[in-house]
């Protein structure tokens, strides 16, 4: 597996750093999708520092595993992971969301090295991942395609069309990662179309996928789920439903009622960063 130097750093430390980098970007704008970034940091740490094959200095390397961010507004989280991985330079986080920045608030493949797709209209990412995985198989390229999508996208019909297509083509090189934080713009996801923890994996299994649910903030559990998905011998696509907590790691933000889009007072950014600094793992 090809990955950045310093891979002996613990995954917990990587997740901590991803959270801190995301907060620093949020501070630049004073607001943003910080809740999602903090919640999914553990999953991204496992993705980039345990599972994915990539070359930090060559984001277009043909042998790389592809990581597709269907949920474009999570870009702040993925930028943080790519900075930690050495794909993006850290000094660019000061430009987050600004004119002419390579780090727009919603992820755009044309702007950002390492960003595989432009994700914004939710429900399209898994369909793109299916096409990409099928193309790689036909080219006899052994890379995996990972698609991170949201629980809100489980209410999109196009997502389930992609689920059926992946099963029909036996895309065993495709791993879907669902961030289930039970929060969308209008309220809890479970009050919309998603049924919630304990039930989602069964739906994917009924469509012919290997699927399991894990605590997405338990790094050891996420590592084990990724390993099972990568090493499965059955010719079927794989899904990992990660139940995560919005604003994970910053208690005063965790306690907020509305966390889909977080506005933070200037002095609260320093408070959040100070709290993280006091919790830095080994």
């Amino acid at each position: 597996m090809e990955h950045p130097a310093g891979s002996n750093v613990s995954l917990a430390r990587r997740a901590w750093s991803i959270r801190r980098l995301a907060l620093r970007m949020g501070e630049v704008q004073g607001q943003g999708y910080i809740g999602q970034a903090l919640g999914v940091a553990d999953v991204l740490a496992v993705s980039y520092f345990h599972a994915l094959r990539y070359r930090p200095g060559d984001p277009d390397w043909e042998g790389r595993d592809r990581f597709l961010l269907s949920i474009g507004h999570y870009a702040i989280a993925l930028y943080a992971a790519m900075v930690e991985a050495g794909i993006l330079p850290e000094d660019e986080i000061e430009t987050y969301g600004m004119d002419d920045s390579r780090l727009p608030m919603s992820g755009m493949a044309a702007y950002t090295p390492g960003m595989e797709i432009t994700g914004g209209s939710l429900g399209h990412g898994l369909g793109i991942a299916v096409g990409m995985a099928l193309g790689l198989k036909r080219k006899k390229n052994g890379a995996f395609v990972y698609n991170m999508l949201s629980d809100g996208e489980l209410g999109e019909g196009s997502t389930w069309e992609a689920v059926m297509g992946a099963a029909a083509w036996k895309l065993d090189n495709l791993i879907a990662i669902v961030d289930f934080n039970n929060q969308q713009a209008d309220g809890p996801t479970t009050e919309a179309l998603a049924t919630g923890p304990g039930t989602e994996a069964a739906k994917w299994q009924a469509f012919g996928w290997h699927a399991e649910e894990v605590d997405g903030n338990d790094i050891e559990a996420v590592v084990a789920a990724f390993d099972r998905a990568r090493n499965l011998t059955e010719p079927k696509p794989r899904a990992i439903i990660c139940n995560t907590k919005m604003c994970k790691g910053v208690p005063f933000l965790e306690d907020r009622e509305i966390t889909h889009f977080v506005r933070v007072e200037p002095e609260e950014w320093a408070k959040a960063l100070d709290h993280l600094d006091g919790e830095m793992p080994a």
Side-chain angles (χ1 to χ4, degrees), residues 28-45:
V28 170
Q29 289 291 330
Q31 59 188 2
Y33 296 99
I34 295 300
Q36 294 88 336
L38 296 173
V40 82
D42 300 301
V43 178
L44 287 172

Side-chain angles (χ1 to χ4, degrees), residues 39 61 82 102 113 135 144 166 181 184 234-235 239 243-244 272-273 277:
W61 173 49
M82 292 197 292
R102 296 200 300 176
F144 276 92
N181 55 38
Q184 26 185 120
E234 296 175 84
N243 298 310
T244 62
L273 288 164
D277 288 346

Side-chain angles (χ1 to χ4, degrees), residues 252-264:
F252 77 89
L253 293 179
E254 290 179 18
D255 292 339
R256 293 194 175 182
E257 183 177 352
I258 298 175
T259 53
H260 178 75
F261 187 85
V262 177
R263 290 177 174 83
V264 179

